[in-house]
Amino acid sequence: MTVYLDVVLLENLCMNYIILFATGYIMKIKMKQLRLIISSLLGGIYAVVAYLEILPVYSSIGMKIILSILMMYIAFKAKGIKLLSKQLVIFYLTSFVFGGCAFALLYFIRPQDILMRNGVYVGTYPIKVAILGGIVGFIITYIAFKIVKTKLRKKDMIYPIAIKLQEKELTIKAMLDTGNLLKDPISGMPVIVVEKEQLYSLLPSKLLDHIEEWIGGEEDFLSQIEEKELITRFRMIPFSSVGKQNGLMLGFKADQVAIEKEEETIIRKDVIVGIFNQSFSKDKRYTALIGLDLLEERSANNEFITNFKK
């Protein structure tokens, strides 16, 4: 049977690209096409070298693990061992799913001339079978991870956050609320909702003790605030919730909000902190709500910094 090395290279390049793309998509990584192609090409070249048996060491398990790490770093340039390890795990899981789909398609097609040499399958089966297997595998993997994410427990969705205002800092725990879509109607900044009782270390007690009267326009509490610069930070945020339509929430623009994730710290300077006059949970496991958009990368027009942990 004649084996064309360019076909082996092309097939493996395509499959590697699909697996890498799926890995990045599932982990919500900002991907660069050139990096994905270079990483996929490296995997394709390795398949050719392993098939030719130029050096026996190329087919060893250790070499395959090293190759996987190199491919991950080239494709996504992970900052830190934790993040790289997670990417590697998702990469392997995705590879297993894709491989299973490809085998299933080969089983139904039943090509005659097919063999495996040093872990590389070659034969007369068309490249579209491999690509179709990759696409089916991508769909299955994506749906599976969607189902898993919807079943996350609350403790997996709680993040420590630090709010800074005029050289004061407050550290609390916030729960990720995918339904929190509040934004300042004027600036469009996202809103973090924080329990009022947590904010006495940041704001004057005269203000916090009479929020409802201020919102209702019964009295002018602005005149009682000595820090005039602080007055310019306040906003009125319209909101709707169960049992209350067309409500108003008092909020203020923080100097900075830092959100701690496992592998990184997200620092945002474009956030409004809304003051909530009740409690979110009886056990006080969290005292604030953040929206999903605060954990995602913003456009270049907004202030956004990510500090990766080492």
Side-chain angles (χ1 to χ4, degrees):
M1 180 179 63
T2 303
V3 177
Y4 296 97
L5 295 181
D6 57 339
V7 175
V8 175
L9 176 64
L10 182 59
E11 288 174 349
N12 281 274
L13 189 151
C14 291
M15 283 301 297
N16 290 334
Y17 179 87
I18 295 174
I19 294 172
L20 288 170
F21 181 84
T23 301
Y25 189 85
I26 291 170
M27 296 194 69
K28 298 185 181 298
I29 301 172
K30 187 176 181 179
M31 294 175 282
K32 294 184 178 181
Q33 295 301 315
L34 181 59
R35 282 186 169 274
L36 291 181
I37 293 173
I38 294 174
S39 180
S40 303
L41 182 61
L42 176 63
I45 293 173
Y46 171 83
V48 173
V49 173
Y51 177 80
L52 293 176
E53 293 184 314
I54 296 176
L55 286 175
V57 71
Y58 284 134
S59 58
S60 66
I61 295 178
M63 191 63 188
K64 291 177 180 178
I65 293 175
I66 293 173
L67 173 71
S68 301
I69 295 173
L70 285 174
M71 289 178 65
M72 287 295 96
Y73 185 77
I74 292 173
F76 306 122
K77 199 176 181 181
K79 303 291 185 179
I81 297 177
K82 278 189 177 180
L83 185 57
L84 179 61
S85 300
K86 286 184 179 180
Q87 293 174 357
L88 202 59
V89 169
I90 301 299
F91 175 76
Y92 278 128
L93 289 175
T94 307
S95 300
F96 294 152
V97 174
F98 284 21
C101 291
F103 274 122
L105 289 173
L106 290 174
Y107 173 80
F108 287 109
I109 295 175
R110 294 181 179 276
Q112 299 298 318
D113 299 326
I114 184 171
L115 57 88
M116 183 180 75
R117 184 174 176 180
N118 291 330
V120 180
Y121 281 88
V122 294
T124 57
Y125 63 95
I127 189 173
K128 61 184 179 182
V129 174
I131 297 177
L132 181 60
I135 295 173
V136 173
F138 173 78
I139 296 173
I140 293 175
T141 305
Y142 178 75
I143 293 174
F145 273 90
K146 273 285 188 182
I147 293 173
V148 170
K149 284 183 178 181
T150 57
K151 294 184 178 181
L152 284 174
R153 293 171 293 180
K154 283 187 177 179
K155 72 174 186 179
D156 299 317
M157 302 173 68
I158 294 178
Y159 300 87
I161 66 172
I163 303 171
K164 289 185 177 181
L165 177 67
Q166 293 183 326
E167 300 181 355
K168 299 177 183 178
E169 183 171 333
L170 170 67
T171 301
I172 54 178
K173 290 185 177 180
M175 190 185 79
L176 175 63
D177 180 13
T178 56
N180 181 8
L181 304 175
L182 282 178
K183 292 184 182 296
D184 176 18
I186 297 176
S187 65
M189 295 181 185
V191 177
I192 293 177
V193 185
V194 180
E195 292 180 5
K196 182 184 75 173
E197 297 301 321
Q198 304 296 317
L199 296 170
Y200 277 92
S201 61
L202 294 182
L203 297 174
S205 57
K206 291 181 180 180
L207 168 67
L208 293 173
D209 291 339
H210 303 279
I211 284 183
E212 294 299 328
E213 292 91 331
W214 188 10
I215 293 177
E218 297 177 19
E219 294 185 45
D220 182 15
F221 289 96
L222 288 177
S223 60
Q224 301 181 32
I225 300 176
E226 297 178 358
E227 301 93 334
K228 299 306 177 182
E229 191 275 335
L230 185 61
I231 297 176
T232 62
R233 294 174 176 266
F234 287 107
R235 309 283 193 277
M236 284 295 182
I237 311 298
F239 73 95
S240 297
S241 62
V242 177
K244 187 169 187 177
Q245 299 294 324
N246 302 320
L248 285 176
M249 178 186 298
L250 179 65
F252 63 92
K253 184 181 182 301
D255 291 328
Q256 175 179 296
V257 174
I259 305 172
E260 295 285 341
K261 296 178 68 178
E262 288 185 5
E263 64 278 352
E264 61 184 349
T265 300
I266 297 176
I267 299 176
R268 297 289 294 263
K269 297 183 178 181
D270 60 339
V271 178
I272 301 295
V273 177
I275 305 172
F276 187 60
N277 206 21
Q278 300 178 37
S279 297
F280 293 118
S281 64
K282 294 181 180 180
D283 56 7
K284 294 294 182 180
R285 288 173 55 237
Y286 60 92
T287 55
L289 297 178
I290 59 174
L292 188 60
D293 56 344
L294 284 165
L295 302 179
E296 297 177 346
E297 185 170 350
R298 304 280 293 187
S299 65
N301 294 328
N302 292 322
E303 297 181 85
F304 176 88
I305 305 172
T306 300
N307 293 328
F308 288 97
K309 297 179 181 178
K310 297 182 179 179

